[in-house]
Amino acid sequence: MASGGLEYYSVKEIKGPLLVVEGVKNVSYDELLEIETSTGEKRLGKVLEVGYGLAIVQVFEGTTGLAVKGTKAKFLGRTMETPVSEDMLGRIFDGLGRPIDGLPPIIPRDRLDVNGSPINPERRDYPTNFIQTGISAIDGMNTLIRGQKLPIFSGAGLPHNMIAAQIARQATVLGQEEEFAVIFAAIGVQNDEASFFKKSLEETGAIKRSALFLNLADDPAFERIITPRIALTLAEYLAFEKDMHVLVIITDMTNYGEALREISAAREEVPGRKGYPGYLYTDLATIYERAGRIKEKKGSITQMPILTMPNDDISHPIPDLTAYITEGQIVLGRELHRIGIYPPINVLMSLSRLMRDGIGEGKTRADHPDVSSQLYASYARAQELRSLALIVGESSLTPVDLKYLRYAEAFEKKFLAQGYYENRDIFKTLDIAWEILSMLPEQELTRVKEKYIKQYYKKTAE
Amino acid sequence: MSQEKGRITWISGPTVRAEGLEGVKMFEVVFVGEERLIGEVIAVSGDKAVIQVYETTSGLKPGEPVYRSGEPLSVMLGPGIIGRTYDGVQRPLDVIATKIGPFVKRGIQVDPIPLDKKWYFEPVLKIGDKVRGGYVVGYVQETPLIKHSILIHPEVSGKVKSIVKEGEYTANDVIAEIEKDSEVYKVKLYHRWPVRKPRPYVQRLEPEVPLITGMRIIDTLFPVAKGGTAAIPGGFGTGKTVTLHQIAAWCDARVVIYIGCGERGNEMAEVLVKFPELTDPYSGRPLMERTILIANTSNMPISAREASIYTGITLAEYYRDMGYDVVLVADSTSRWAEALREISGRLEEMPAEEGFPPYLASRLAEFYERAGRVVTFTQNNSIGSVTVVGAVSPPGGDFSEPVTVHTLRFVRTFWGLDSALAYSRHYPAINWIISYSLYVDAVARWWEKEVEKGWPELRRKMLEILQKEDELKEIVKLLGPEALPDSEKLVLDVARIIREGFLQQNAFDPIDSYCSVQKQYKMLKMFMEFYEKARIALEKGVPLSSIRALPIIAKMMRVRYTVPNEKFIEVDSISQEINDSINKLLEGMKSG
Ligand SMILES: Nc1ncnc2c1ncn2[C@@H]1O[C@H](COP(=O)(O)OP(=O)(O)OP(=O)(O)O)[C@@H](O)[C@H]1O
Ligand SMILES: [Mg+2]
C-alpha cells in the first residue's frame, strides 16, 4: 500500500455515514483515511468498497456538517491501527483510542491492525481454569473459565453494571495470586455508567491495571464499530505478548449492533432480520472470537460483553446471534429483580458451556458437577410446579411437590441472593447448595451420586 | 499453470471483480493480487469475472493482477489426510501454525498432504491388468486403523504398463503407469478431484444398517442408517455441537469427518484436546486415527467457510470409495448458508426468502444427495457409505426459517431440539414428539438379528407412553393432576421416569456418555416391564402411592450411569428387583 498521502477534493456524494469519493487512484480496500472539513476539522474513515476511480468510505465520526464541496479526503496508505503499550494500563481513552485523561501521550511499543487476525484453531489451548467470581449463581451453576467469552444479557434498568463490576473486583483463579488486567470498552453508554465503572475500579485500586475506552452516548455512533476492536487489540497485545491475564468488559453490544445496522442501511444492503445486515453473525464473531488462550503463551483473554435485550426479548437478533457465538450467557431476570433479589440471575436461561471441564475433583470439589446438575433439575421441576400451583392451587399438589416449592424459595433467597460486596468462595457456595438440596427427599436427588449424598446430604429430623 | 492474467476492477469485502480473463471458467481457481490470495470464480460474463477470495482482502487495490490456474477448486486425495485439521480449502492448520505462528495470516500456500513422507506401499495390480477408474492400485497403512487404498483417478482407464514393487514411496513418486491409446497416465499415491463434483460410484443401495451412536434417543427412537441423512436444528445452546461431538466420538463408522463451519474456535480446540485421549470404542485406538477435522471458525474468511462443506464431503466420498463407512458431521450448515447469502448479496443477486439466494434449496439438496450407501468401483465392488449429519442454527430457534425448512425436505431423520428442554437441563434436548426417522423399518431387522427380537414392539410402546403423556399434560395444565384417574397418573409417572432415566443422557458422565445397544435394549425392556407390572398392580387395587414410594424407582433411574456397558446384564437383576417389589405389594394386598 503505497498510496499514503494522496489527497482528493472529489467527494461526489454523502449518504448517511458514507462518502463516495471519485477519481481516486491507488486506494486499497479497508484503507484508512483522514477527512478534513472546509473549516479544518479532522475525522477518520475507512474504505468499504473500491473500484477504478471510485471509493465508498465510511466516516467514523459521522458526516454531519460535511459538504460535497470543500471536503478533503486524504488516504493514509494503511489500515486502521492502534498504538499498544503496557503503559496504557491506568489510562483513559476515547472511542478511537486517544487519551482523554489529560496525562502525557502514550509512547507506543507497537502499532497493530485493529482487526487482529484469527487465532489458528489448531493453536488454541482449551480453557479449563476455574475463575472464582464469588457469586454463587455463577460459580456454582454457570462457572466462568479463564479464556471464556461469557456475556451478560440484561434489560433496561437491571443491575448488569453492578454484576460486572463485582466480577471485575472479585475474580480470582483458585490458588493463584495473579490479578486480572481489566480492559473496559464503553459503546454508546451514558456517562454515569462509565463513571460507575471507573469509580468501582478506583475503589479497589484496580484502576492501575485497567484501561478504559469510552465511546459515550453522545459520541459519534460510527466510532462504535472501532472501539471494541481497539480494546481487544490492546487485550491481545497484553495477553499474548506480555503474558497477562486480561478481563475485557464491553458494554453495550446492542449499541454496536445498531451502528452496524445504520451503516448497512446507508449502503442499501439487503436487510436481514429486523433490518440488521445478513453478516451480523460473522461481524460479531470477529469481536467475540478474540478471546481465549493460545498454546505456549501464558496470558489469556476472558471476555464479558454486556448487552441489553430490546424489550427483554432474547430472540432479538443481537442477543440471539451473540449467544450463538459466545460460550454461554448469563441472563438477568426482571421478575427476580422485582422481588428484590440481587443478583437477579435467571439460572435456567443462563449457561456456561466451558463449565464442565473447569469444575469437579482437583478443580473445585468432586461433588460440584452433580450438585450443579441437581440444583438445575430441581429448580426446573419447581418452576413447573409453581405454574401448576397457580392454576390448580397448592392444595392439589402432593407433599413432595410442596417441598419443591419451598426449595425454590430457598434457592432464590439463600443461594441466588447475596450482597454486592459479598464474596463467597466456592466451598461456601456448595455448602449453601447442599443446605437447600437437603430440603428435598433424598430419593429425589437422582442426579447426585449416592456417595455424595452420604457425604453431604443433611438429614432433617422429620 | 496458465500465464494469462487479468486485473482487479472492484473490491468489496471477500468479493472481487476482475477483467481481462478471457475464457475463464466458472469455479476456476485464481490467484488474486500481488500476494496471490486464493480465490474461486463464481460468476463470468465475457472477460469479466466475480471472484470469491478465501482470505482477507484488506489492502488489495484495483489494478492488481489476477492469475488463472485453469483448474477448478480441488482437494488432494492420498495418504496423510486422516488425523489432520484443515481449513475450508484443505490447508493443514498445523503446518500453517508451524510456518507463521498462532494467528492465521493470508497468502500462505501449503501442501494438503506431506509430499516428502515415505509410505510403505503394497501393490495389488500387475503389468497388463485392465483397469478403470476407482480400481485399487495397492495399499498404504495410513494409520493403524485405516488401510488406505490407492485408487485410480475416477476418469482414467486402460492397461497397467508398469507398477513398482512393494516398498517405501513418497506421494510424489510415480507408482504405476496406465496406458490407453498410447497415452500414458502416471499414478501417484494421490490424485486431485474437484470439490463441487460428486465422485462417481457404480450403484446406490438402500441404507439398512443403523449407525450406532451410543445415544439412546437416537439409536432406540430416531435412528439414522449408514448412508443416510439427518438434521439437528435447534436454537443456541440446545445441544447441536455436543450431539455432533458425541456422534464423532462414539459412532461405529470407520472414518469420521468433522466440519466446524463458521462456529467457535474453542470447540475445535476441545476436539483437538479430547479426541487424542479418547479411544475408538471398537478398536481401542486413539480416535484421531480415524478422524479428519475441517475448521473454518466464525471469524475466518467466509468464502472458505462456503467451500468447507464441499471439501469435507469430497474427502468423505474418497474414503467411501475405498469401501469404508464414513460419517460426516457439519456444524453448522446455517453458517454455510449465511456465507452463500453474503456472497450472493455482494453479487447483487435477486434475493428470495430472508435474503437467501433462490438457489439455497438446490444447493442443500445437492449436498445431502452426496450421502448414500453405494457399490464402489473397486475391483471387488466393495460397499461404502457416507452418512451426513447437519446441524442447523435457526435464528431465534424458529424452525419455519428457510434453512431449516429446506433442509427438512432433503433429510430422512429429524432430531428437533427444544429450547424449553434445554433450559430445564433435559439433555439431549431432542424433542421426542416432533422428531422422526424414516429409517426405523429399515434398521428394525438389524436390531432383531443383532440384539433382540422384541425391539420394534418395545420401541413402539415407549413412544406411545410419551405421546400419551403429551396429551395428558394438556389436561393437567387446565384441571390439575387430581382430575386424572390413577391409571393415567401412572402414565405420567412412567413417562417422567423414562424421560429422566432413559431419554436424558449426560454426555459428560464417564458411563452414561456412551450406551451400548445391548444396554439400551435392556433398559428399554426394564422401563416397559415396570410400566406393565405397575399397571396390573394398580388394576388389582394396589394404591398408586405405594407404587410411587418404591425405592427401586430411584435405582432404576440411576441405571444409566451406575451400570457400565460391559455389565449390561446387571440391568436384568434390577428388572428382577422391580418384579419382586411389585409382587410384594400385591401379596401385601392379599394378606392385608
Ligand atoms: N447430552 C448432553 N449432556 C450434557 N450436557 C449437554 C448435552 N447436550 C448439551 N449439553 C449442555 O448444553 C450446552 C450447549 O450445548 P451445545 O454447545 O451443543 O449447543 P449448540 O446447540 O451447539 O449451541 P450453538 O448453536 O450456540 O452452538 C453444553 O455446553 C452442555 O452444557
Ligand atoms: Mg454449537
Side-chain angles (χ1 to χ4, degrees):
Chain A
M1 279 197 269
S3 67
L6 284 183
E7 295 180 2
Y8 299 91
Y9 280 96
S10 47
V11 173
K12 181 186 156 213
E13 207 186 325
I14 302 176
K15 246 193 326 192
L18 308 182
L19 293 186
V20 181
V21 190
E22 273 185 325
V24 298
K25 267 205 197 106
N26 230 8
V27 164
S28 61
Y29 172 67
D30 216 19
E31 185 168 342
L32 192 69
L33 68 157
E34 201 174 79
I35 294 136
E36 203 177 313
T37 66
S38 45
T39 59
E41 184 203 336
K42 283 185 178 158
R43 302 188 190 175
L44 281 179
K46 71 166 188 175
V47 175
L48 293 182
E49 277 183 57
V50 58
Y52 277 125
L54 195 73
I56 299 176
V57 164
Q58 171 200 329
V59 186
F60 295 128
E61 293 93 336
T63 50
T64 317
L66 288 188
V68 170
K69 273 218 172 99
T71 297
K72 182 167 85 182
K74 178 176 171 191
F75 291 86
L76 299 178
R78 55 180 170 90
T79 50
M80 179 96 184
E81 287 171 348
T82 184
V84 289
S85 155
E86 284 158 289
D87 299 337
M88 289 170 81
L89 293 175
R91 301 290 305 268
I92 305 177
F93 307 89
D94 72 359
L96 290 179
R98 299 172 290 217
I100 49 169
D101 50 8
L103 295 171
I106 302 290
I107 300 161
R109 287 300 162 89
D110 208 345
R111 302 187 69 87
L112 301 174
D113 184 335
V114 298
N115 293 310
S117 296
I119 300 176
N120 185 332
E122 211 269 337
R123 293 275 94 188
R124 273 185 187 269
D125 202 1
Y126 185 60
T128 53
N129 290 334
F130 167 73
I131 297 177
Q132 181 175 288
T133 67
I135 297 176
S136 291
I138 297 178
D139 295 351
M141 301 174 76
N142 294 290
T143 315
L144 179 63
I145 302 293
R146 197 154 69 183
Q148 183 171 18
K149 40 192 183 290
L150 188 65
I152 299 179
F153 287 7
S154 185
L158 298 180
H160 45 266
N161 289 331
M162 285 174 73
I163 298 173
Q166 187 169 4
I167 292 171
R169 186 175 60 230
Q170 296 179 172
T172 53
V173 170
L174 269 195
Q176 291 185 18
E177 299 312 304
E178 280 165 278
E179 284 174 317
F180 284 92
V182 178
I183 293 186
F184 176 77
I187 309 177
V189 302
Q190 302 292 332
N191 188 36
D192 54 350
E193 289 184 64
S195 35
F196 168 81
F197 270 101
K198 204 177 123 213
K199 276 209 202 84
S200 95
L201 290 169
E202 277 165 355
E203 233 174 69
T204 55
I207 195 83
K208 290 196 296 288
R209 43 187 172 84
S210 306
L212 280 65
F213 295 87
L214 307 180
N215 167 286
L216 299 179
D218 52 0
D219 286 334
F222 304 104
E223 236 178 68
R224 291 174 194 160
I225 306 296
I226 296 301
T227 309
R229 296 189 159 84
I230 291 184
L232 287 164
T233 305
L234 177 61
E236 282 170 350
Y237 173 78
L238 296 176
F240 304 130
E241 301 296 325
K242 298 292 158 199
D243 295 340
M244 291 186 196
H245 295 293
V246 186
L247 174 66
V248 182
I249 297 173
I250 308 176
T251 182
D252 175 331
M253 283 303 288
T254 301
N255 298 333
Y256 174 87
E258 275 162 11
L260 203 66
R261 174 168 66 178
E262 207 172 317
I263 293 164
S264 169
R267 294 176 74 180
E268 291 168 15
E269 291 169 333
V270 180
R273 280 174 72 224
K274 300 220 159 137
Y276 290 92
Y279 49 80
L280 180 60
Y281 172 85
T282 302
D283 186 279
L284 288 174
T286 61
I287 292 178
Y288 298 140
E289 276 290 319
R290 294 173 79 175
R293 295 175 41 189
I294 295 179
K295 286 178 197 160
E296 285 135 35
K297 302 251 180 200
K298 271 168 104 185
S300 63
I301 300 178
T302 308
Q303 247 194 66
M304 185 157 271
I306 299 175
L307 59 85
T308 47
M309 301 181 279
N311 288 322
D312 291 351
D313 176 10
I314 197 168
S315 71
H316 180 281
I318 294 176
D320 188 51
L321 295 182
T322 294
Y324 267 127
I325 303 164
T326 53
E327 283 130 3
Q329 68 279 341
I330 304 286
V331 181
L332 304 191
R334 199 164 290 283
E335 237 358 90
L336 290 167
H337 181 61
R338 206 169 276 151
I339 58 172
I341 299 218
Y342 173 89
I345 295 176
N346 179 334
V347 290
L348 295 182
M349 306 277 284
S350 303
L351 171 70
S352 164
R353 296 165 194 249
L354 299 186
M355 169 172 187
R356 54 179 185 261
D357 293 300
I359 62 168
E361 202 161 354
K363 289 171 175 156
T364 52
R365 205 169 80 184
D367 58 323
H368 190 172
D370 286 10
V371 167
S372 154
S373 162
Q374 189 66 58
L375 285 172
Y376 268 118
S378 306
Y379 189 58
R381 171 106 184 110
Q383 292 293 43
E384 256 174 55
L385 292 168
R386 269 181 171 172
S387 31
L388 190 60
L390 279 182
I391 306 164
V392 299
E394 285 198 7
S395 57
S396 70
L397 298 184
T398 66
V400 174
D401 291 349
L402 290 174
K403 287 193 174 154
Y404 271 100
L405 297 187
R406 303 291 93 83
Y407 159 82
E409 265 167 48
F411 175 82
E412 288 161 3
K413 297 224 167 85
K414 291 191 175 154
F415 185 84
L416 275 192
Q418 68 183 84
Y420 176 57
Y421 288 101
E422 185 180 351
N423 190 353
R424 293 184 189 155
D425 70 23
I426 182 64
F427 308 107
K428 172 89 181 156
T429 290
L430 290 173
D431 289 345
I432 302 176
W434 275 107
E435 193 184 310
I436 58 170
L437 284 176
S438 300
M439 297 169 68
L440 296 169
E442 216 177 302
Q443 271 233 37
E444 294 293 307
L445 306 186
T446 56
R447 302 265 183 130
V448 185
K449 290 187 194 70
E450 276 160 319
K451 60 177 175 190
Y452 300 133
I453 295 191
K454 283 208 186 84
Q455 196 173 348
Y456 297 107
Y457 185 79
K458 295 186 185 60
K459 285 203 170 59
T460 41
E462 248 185 84
Chain B
M1 196 191 286
S2 153
Q3 275 313 299
E4 296 162 72
K5 66 180 190 186
R7 49 182 204 147
I8 298 176
T9 57
W10 186 260
I11 306 144
S12 167
T15 339
V16 165
R17 293 174 192 269
E19 62 183 19
L21 291 167
E22 195 70 55
V24 75
K25 291 197 265 330
M26 264 304 263
F27 302 126
E28 181 172 332
V29 169
V30 291
F31 300 95
V32 179
E34 309 288 1
E35 283 185 74
R36 292 177 175 257
L37 309 180
I38 307 178
E40 187 185 10
V41 173
I42 53 169
V44 185
S45 122
D47 75 333
K48 296 188 175 59
V50 183
I51 299 156
Q52 59 174 353
V53 181
Y54 292 129
E55 310 184 70
T56 160
T57 52
S58 272
L60 275 187
K61 285 178 195 161
E64 283 193 59
V66 175
Y67 303 92
R68 290 187 55 185
S69 75
E71 299 285 329
L73 183 66
S74 302
V75 282
M76 203 170 184
L77 300 169
I81 294 174
I82 301 272
R84 271 257 135 68
T85 306
Y86 290 112
D87 76 354
V89 287
Q90 213 200 1
R91 282 179 296 196
L93 286 168
D94 57 334
V95 181
I96 293 184
T98 330
K99 261 190 152 167
I100 59 164
F103 292 93
V104 181
K105 301 261 160 62
R106 64 185 185 184
I108 305 289
Q109 317 238 352
V110 280
D111 297 318
I113 58 174
L115 294 181
D116 49 359
K117 177 169 171 152
K118 287 208 186 275
W119 300 95
Y120 196 84
F121 171 74
E122 294 167 79
V124 292
L125 294 177
K126 296 184 306 296
I127 292 178
D129 281 351
K130 273 197 162 159
V131 296
R132 58 176 184 182
Y135 263 42
V136 180
V137 185
Y139 298 102
V140 157
Q141 196 69 43
E142 184 174 7
T143 71
L145 280 180
I146 298 297
K147 190 168 171 188
H148 191 117
S149 310
I150 305 302
L151 302 176
I152 297 181
H153 189 287
E155 286 161 355
V156 169
S157 63
K159 225 186 212 165
V160 178
K161 181 168 172 253
S162 73
I163 180 148
V164 295
K165 286 207 202 64
E166 75 170 61
E168 294 203 317
Y169 300 92
T170 68
N172 255 340
D173 292 332
V174 174
I175 50 158
E177 288 172 306
I178 292 170
E179 189 171 30
K180 187 180 187 184
D181 308 331
S182 73
E183 252 188 72
V184 175
Y185 172 81
K186 291 187 165 65
V187 179
K188 296 182 176 179
L189 290 180
Y190 75 91
H191 66 261
R192 302 181 67 87
W193 186 262
V195 296
R196 297 187 193 271
K197 185 168 167 186
R199 287 174 62 89
Y201 48 80
V202 177
Q203 189 196 340
R204 210 174 242 281
L205 303 171
E206 268 303 302
E208 54 191 28
V209 178
L211 177 80
I212 301 304
T213 67
M215 277 174 78
R216 288 183 292 270
I217 189 163
I218 293 181
D219 296 346
T220 298
L221 294 187
F222 310 111
V224 61
K226 291 198 174 98
T229 49
I232 178 161
F236 62 77
T238 47
K240 298 177 289 296
T241 304
V242 173
T243 304
L244 297 190
H245 278 192
Q246 289 295 96
I247 292 176
W250 298 118
C251 79
D252 64 344
R254 294 293 302 277
V255 175
V256 173
I257 300 179
Y258 186 103
I259 311 180
C261 174
E263 291 290 313
R264 302 174 181 84
N266 275 336
E267 287 172 351
M268 301 313 296
E270 183 183 0
V271 175
L272 285 167
V273 168
K274 291 188 180 168
F275 274 32
E277 287 167 13
L278 290 174
T279 51
D280 174 18
Y282 308 91
S283 63
R285 302 286 316 173
L287 267 184
M288 281 317 278
E289 290 178 5
R290 68 168 205 185
T291 310
I292 305 163
L293 299 176
I294 297 180
N296 216 92
T297 55
S298 54
N299 56 340
M300 286 162 78
I302 71 146
S303 316
R305 188 199 295 175
E306 194 272 336
S308 66
I309 290 282
Y310 296 99
T311 297
I313 193 93
T314 310
L315 298 182
E317 286 173 341
Y318 176 59
Y319 283 92
R320 171 203 71 188
D321 289 348
M322 298 175 202
Y324 286 120
D325 288 318
V326 183
V327 163
L328 175 138
V329 299
D331 188 10
S332 160
T333 60
S334 294
R335 306 303 167 216
W336 167 76
E338 284 163 16
L340 272 189
R341 174 170 68 187
E342 183 170 343
I343 293 156
S344 164
R346 293 192 189 258
L347 291 177
E348 290 171 10
E349 291 174 334
M350 188 62 114
E353 312 130 284
E354 297 193 13
F356 286 105
Y359 46 80
L360 171 68
S362 59
R363 292 283 167 86
L364 279 166
E366 283 162 21
F367 169 62
Y368 283 106
E369 188 62 22
R370 290 174 78 170
R373 181 162 167 262
V374 305
V375 176
T376 67
F377 274 111
T378 54
Q379 288 87 322
N380 52 4
N381 291 124
S382 50
I383 292 173
S385 69
V386 174
T387 311
V388 173
V389 181
V392 185
S393 316
D398 172 8
F399 289 0
S400 68
E401 59 87 40
V403 183
T404 313
V405 167
H406 291 304
T407 299
L408 293 185
R409 289 166 57 202
F410 310 123
V411 300
R412 298 177 67 188
T413 308
F414 166 48
W415 302 316
L417 292 168
D418 185 334
S419 299
L421 288 175
Y423 286 145
S424 63
R425 268 42 180 192
H426 174 114
Y427 294 123
I430 297 174
N431 178 314
W432 50 93
I433 302 293
I434 62 171
S435 299
Y436 59 80
S437 161
L438 302 182
Y439 299 109
V440 175
D441 293 336
V443 305
R445 257 162 285 151
W446 182 92
W447 275 88
E448 294 199 288
K449 191 161 151 265
E450 303 290 328
V451 188
E452 203 99 34
K453 264 264 164 267
W455 184 78
E457 182 62 13
L458 286 174
R459 173 184 176 277
R460 194 183 51 72
K461 281 192 176 152
M462 181 176 270
L463 273 176
E464 251 171 41
I465 291 191
L466 292 168
Q467 256 140 22
K468 184 82 185 159
E469 180 202 32
D470 199 49
E471 292 161 29
L472 293 177
K473 270 198 159 161
E474 290 306 307
I475 303 177
V476 171
K477 258 188 220 152
L478 295 172
L479 305 172
E482 288 312 311
L484 298 178
D486 279 357
S487 64
E488 294 191 329
K489 279 189 204 142
L490 178 68
V491 171
L492 289 183
D493 283 2
V494 172
R496 184 176 162 208
I497 292 168
I498 291 173
R499 283 191 276 117
E500 290 180 21
F502 188 85
L503 299 184
Q504 288 188 10
Q505 188 168 358
N506 183 353
F508 309 107
D509 180 272
I511 294 179
D512 201 20
S513 186
Y514 174 79
C515 190
S516 72
V517 284
Q518 283 77 16
K519 186 177 161 193
Q520 289 189 36
Y521 179 80
K522 292 279 183 212
M523 287 175 69
L524 173 67
K525 192 158 152 247
M526 170 181 73
F527 287 115
M528 297 328 294
E529 279 179 2
F530 169 75
Y531 175 63
E532 266 317 293
K533 285 268 165 310
R535 193 178 57 82
I536 292 170
L538 206 57
E539 270 173 20
K540 295 202 170 143
V542 174
L544 183 59
S545 56
S546 334
I547 296 175
R548 280 180 174 162
L550 289 173
I552 188 73
I553 294 179
K555 196 162 179 187
M556 185 164 72
M557 287 165 74
R558 285 202 175 96
V559 160
R560 60 187 175 98
Y561 58 83
T562 52
V563 178
N565 285 310
E566 61 282 5
K567 297 192 179 153
F568 69 91
I569 287 293
E570 286 178 10
V571 180
D572 280 345
S573 63
I574 293 171
S575 292
Q576 192 54 49
E577 274 182 64
I578 295 169
N579 211 355
D580 295 347
S581 49
I582 296 187
N583 281 344
K584 224 181 249 153
L585 289 180
L586 282 165
E587 275 159 29
M589 280 247 321
K590 276 181 220 149
S591 54

